[in-house]
Amino acid sequence: ILSSLFASLTYFGVKHVLIDDQQQTDLKQSYANAALIRSTLYTSPGELVSILNSIEQASDSNVLVRTHHQWLSKSTGAATKDVSSTVINLVNNGEAVQQTVNSGGHIIFVVGVPIPAVETQVFEVFRLAPLEHTLQVLLQVMGAGALLTSLIGMGGGLWVTRRTVRPLENVSAAAALIAQGELTTRLVVGQADREVQQLTESFNAMVS
């Protein structure tokens, strides 16, 4: 139980740290990408799709651009269903938003950045698949470690128990022989705890 508890606490602690670090990195990347998109809208709007696809390849994310309540453009792998209406409304009101979503058992990190100057909102969706793989491997390692620790603990417990009980089994066998009339029976105990040695000496004295 202690092994499993320690493994669980370690796993969830590491998971929280890894996800938080990854999200902080993705958040900074989103702001940089939003600045690039704003610059593109000012200077070369026709190159927006190309820029979005470049961002998708570079940061392994999906990018969507929304202007005047309409989806203006998006990168190749982007899907509007990944961005909730709540996030859209908050960003539309000028608030930068970040949201972690569990979609189909996969972690999705959504960042929304408003660009008020051109009445545009940028949404970037990060799928944390590499991180999920790392966490899966970590879970397997922690599970195997907990199982191994439990087996070692059980083996050690059995060894200690047998070492403790064996002298008492000898006393029981000797008592049975004495009860049958074998009054020459004596206990002989080699390496044993002090208490067992005292019991042996007292038993032999009693039989004498």
Side-chain angles (χ1 to χ4, degrees):
I1 292 174
L2 288 175
S3 299
S4 301
L5 179 62
F6 176 74
S8 299
L9 291 175
T10 302
Y11 170 74
F12 287 110
V14 172
K15 178 181 179 180
H16 174 74
V17 171
L18 289 178
I19 291 179
D20 186 66
D21 287 346
Q22 184 63 52
Q23 289 179 341
Q24 290 301 318
T25 301
D26 293 339
L27 184 63
K28 293 177 182 178
Q29 185 64 48
S30 295
Y31 286 126
N33 293 338
L36 177 61
I37 293 172
R38 179 181 61 185
S39 176
T40 302
L41 289 174
Y42 271 126
T43 57
S44 307
E47 298 180 2
L48 181 61
V49 175
S50 176
I51 292 295
L52 296 184
N53 289 331
S54 299
I55 292 174
E56 178 178 341
Q57 294 176 0
S59 58
D60 195 22
S61 63
N62 299 325
V63 190
L64 305 95
V65 178
R66 193 168 183 268
T67 301
H68 299 294
H69 307 290
Q70 299 292 330
W71 294 108
L72 176 63
S73 185
K74 58 183 180 179
S75 61
T76 304
T80 56
K81 63 181 179 60
D82 292 331
V83 184
S84 67
S85 57
T86 303
V87 172
I88 293 175
N89 292 333
L90 289 173
V91 179
N92 190 52
N93 292 330
E95 182 179 346
V97 176
Q98 52 181 308
Q99 182 184 49
T100 303
V101 181
N102 192 319
S103 176
H106 297 285
I107 303 173
I108 296 178
F109 184 53
V110 182
V111 179
V113 181
I115 308 178
V118 287
E119 298 184 11
T120 298
Q121 301 88 41
V122 177
F123 301 91
E124 194 160 0
V125 180
F126 296 89
R127 301 185 184 278
L128 308 182
L131 181 57
E132 288 179 335
H133 175 71
T134 300
L135 291 173
Q136 185 67 28
V137 172
L138 176 62
L139 180 61
Q140 294 174 355
V141 171
M142 295 301 296
L147 178 60
L148 179 61
T149 304
S150 299
L151 292 175
I152 292 174
M154 290 171 62
L158 288 173
W159 180 81
V160 171
T161 301
R162 288 177 179 175
R163 183 176 182 273
T164 304
V165 171
R166 188 176 295 113
L168 301 179
E169 292 177 343
N170 295 336
V171 172
S172 177
L177 290 174
I178 293 170
Q180 295 172 7
E182 298 290 338
L183 300 180
T184 58
T185 302
R186 298 292 184 273
L187 288 178
V188 179
V189 178
Q191 296 180 350
D193 296 334
R194 181 173 57 85
E195 293 81 0
V196 176
Q197 290 287 0
Q198 290 178 349
L199 175 62
T200 301
E201 293 172 0
S202 299
F203 185 89
N204 289 337
M206 178 191 68
V207 175
S208 298

